[in-house]
Amino acid sequence: MNPVMPPALSRRALLRALALAGGSVVLTGCDDLQTDRVVSPTDGVEPDDPATWPADTTLLIAARQRIHGYRLGLRLVGDEEGTAAELEDLWRQQQERLELLITLGGVPLPDLLDDPAVTLPDSTGSTGSTGAAATTAAPDEDDGEDEEQDRPTASDLGRVLRDDRTEACRDLSTATPTNLLLLASLTAQHVASAAWLGSPVEWGPLPGPSGAAAVPVLAAARPAVFGLEVVAARSAPDSDERADYEAVLVPLRGLTRQLSTLAGQAAPVAPLGYDLPEPLETAEERRDLARRLVADLGPATLEAAQRVPGDLAQLTGVVRIVSEAATWGALLGGSRRAFPGMTLP
């Protein structure tokens, strides 16, 4: 008698039953059998057809080109207190990571346009500051001083980064969850860089995150306010140490109030206090605590971003908070990161 496989009987169980019964069977054309073939993420990708590319590839390519323009602009503005050298290193890391993600998706890297974000004066005496290519006139030897005066400044480059945030946030609102956090962190780093270059963004009221999405950010902001108040109170009056804490405390308090309003009924009741490491007797201990509390804001805010994909206003708020946390962390002596709020993606 030929064995009949019940509908729920697996292939392995059938073969075992046949072996015990001394029978044999040839399995052919079984559509229900699973194969061991691993589907490659690049299957179906046609390098010349963007419609076949992995999601967000065009966003990654656009971000890569912007960063290349920023790096070219850095070479023109000079180095003020080492800022340009540090930003060059961070932006190199960002560009390399984007290039890795693009090529892992099976898409060849397009040629980069040598289009600096800021340019030297052209032959008509005008300068570019929006990335538009300009023809650089060969200076006469006697014009060296005039050329130096006309050279674009760090704040010029900062204004380009500041203005680019509008387009970058718009791109961010179209990103899939796969690359949402990376692009949010990247945009926030560029906004923070604008501030470091002397052109900070003048933000209006915080547009988000709101509702339940604001809760994880609020959970990091409240203890940061409490801890900074403690370390400020324990530092010497009129000292630089206290001044640094208060420079962060003032905007952080305002941010926390706005988050409480945006969270609405989803906001938990604030505790009366938080446990802090003691004794906090030295300036090093206090500053280390302040840095760690501020550093918690970035990851918490990126967690909130996962709850509001596609929402331009709320994602703009995410970028703002992550960028401000990066700025505050640097003010407190923390290191600047290529992807604030996350480990290297």
Side-chain angles (χ1 to χ4, degrees):
M1 179 181 296
N2 293 329
V4 178
M5 181 173 65
L9 191 61
S10 68
R11 179 174 180 271
R12 179 178 294 180
L14 173 62
L15 294 175
R16 183 171 183 273
L18 287 171
L20 293 174
S24 63
V25 66
V26 177
L27 300 177
T28 61
C30 295
D31 294 336
D32 294 336
L33 296 181
Q34 296 181 352
T35 66
D36 295 332
R37 179 178 178 272
V38 178
V39 178
S40 169
T42 61
D43 280 359
V45 174
E46 297 291 339
D48 298 329
D49 184 4
T52 68
W53 292 355
D56 305 325
T57 300
T58 55
L59 300 182
L60 301 177
I61 290 174
R64 170 180 177 252
Q65 179 61 54
R66 278 198 298 270
I67 294 169
H68 180 63
Y70 298 158
R71 295 178 67 188
L72 293 177
L74 275 177
R75 300 172 190 175
L76 300 177
V77 302
D79 196 357
E80 297 181 4
E81 299 179 356
T83 298
E86 187 172 4
L87 290 181
E88 162 61 24
D89 182 59
L90 296 178
W91 292 346
R92 176 188 54 77
Q93 293 180 45
Q94 292 174 351
Q95 185 173 329
E96 289 175 351
R97 183 56 47 166
L98 291 174
E99 290 173 347
L100 177 61
L101 294 175
I102 293 167
T103 54
L104 285 176
V107 178
L109 294 173
D111 293 335
L112 288 165
L113 302 177
D114 286 334
D115 193 6
V118 291
T119 60
L120 289 171
D122 62 19
S123 57
T124 64
S126 62
T127 58
S129 60
T130 60
T135 302
T136 304
D140 295 332
E141 292 183 5
D142 295 338
D143 293 337
E145 183 176 348
D146 291 339
E147 180 189 355
E148 188 65 28
Q149 292 175 349
D150 292 336
R151 181 180 294 275
T153 65
S155 60
D156 291 331
L157 179 58
R159 280 192 291 272
V160 175
L161 272 74
R162 182 181 65 192
D163 295 342
D164 280 353
R165 82 185 189 281
T166 301
E167 179 183 358
C169 286
R170 190 179 298 117
D171 287 349
L172 179 61
S173 69
T174 68
T176 67
T178 301
N179 295 296
L180 179 63
L181 302 191
L182 176 145
L183 291 171
S185 175
L186 189 74
T187 305
Q189 199 283 325
H190 295 162
V191 173
S193 295
W196 294 328
L197 291 168
S199 298
V201 174
E202 295 182 2
W203 299 101
L206 186 68
S210 61
V215 173
V217 192
L218 197 57
R222 282 172 168 171
V225 169
F226 179 83
L228 284 167
E229 289 175 339
V230 170
V231 294
R234 296 191 183 184
S235 58
D238 301 323
S239 64
D240 290 341
E241 181 189 1
R242 176 174 288 191
D244 287 346
Y245 300 146
E246 292 178 344
V248 176
L249 257 176
V250 173
L252 182 55
R253 284 196 188 105
L255 178 71
T256 305
R257 285 193 294 268
Q258 292 184 76
L259 283 168
S260 298
T261 301
L262 288 167
Q265 294 182 348
V269 177
L272 297 177
Y274 297 87
D275 291 332
L276 299 177
E278 293 292 349
L280 298 176
E281 292 179 347
T282 68
E284 290 75 15
E285 291 174 340
R286 293 189 293 268
R287 193 170 290 271
D288 179 66
L289 174 62
R291 282 196 295 260
R292 287 189 284 117
L293 290 170
V294 169
D296 289 341
L297 284 169
T301 308
L302 291 179
E303 178 185 342
Q306 296 177 307
R307 307 188 185 191
V308 292
D311 191 317
L312 175 58
Q314 297 205 65
L315 289 173
T316 300
V318 165
V319 168
R320 171 183 172 176
I321 297 171
V322 177
S323 67
E324 290 191 325
T327 304
W328 297 334
L331 176 62
L332 295 170
S335 60
R336 297 169 179 172
R337 303 178 64 87
F339 294 92
M342 61 191 311
T343 54
L344 190 63

